[in-house]
Amino acid sequence: MFSLPRGGRVELAVYDLLGRKLSTLAKGNFASGQYTRQWNGRLEDGSEAGSGVYFYRLSVDGQIYKLRAVKVD
């Protein structure tokens, strides 16, 4: 879940430890408010990501926020 105090350009994506983008969860102009997005564990091509450490990267009008996550099968 993420909150925007004001609207702006948003991109929320999942990355691996090498910095490769695996999946885009949200992208576009968003109004202020609270949003929920959930990664289904799949890559952009539809294949399933294995167990490991991944990073959520939220970009809001050029400001970057990162959160580490662990996927366990």
Side-chain angles (χ1 to χ4, degrees):
M1 175 171 18
F2 61 97
S3 294
L4 300 175
R6 65 181 188 280
R9 178 118 181 100
V10 169
E11 182 174 6
L12 175 62
V14 179
Y15 289 80
D16 67 11
L17 289 174
L18 298 175
R20 295 178 295 200
K21 186 190 299 186
L22 304 177
S23 182
T24 302
L25 305 178
K27 186 173 183 177
N29 290 313
F30 284 68
S32 63
Q34 290 190 338
Y35 297 90
T36 301
R37 297 293 185 272
Q38 185 174 353
W39 183 39
N40 63 6
R42 299 210 172 266
L43 309 179
E44 295 281 342
D45 67 5
S47 63
E48 185 156 347
S51 296
V53 177
Y54 297 95
F55 292 91
Y56 290 96
R57 180 181 179 267
L58 175 64
S59 172
V60 180
D61 286 336
Q63 290 191 342
I64 307 296
Y65 306 91
K66 295 179 185 175
L67 177 67
R68 183 176 60 167
V70 177
K71 180 179 183 293
V72 179
D73 290 329

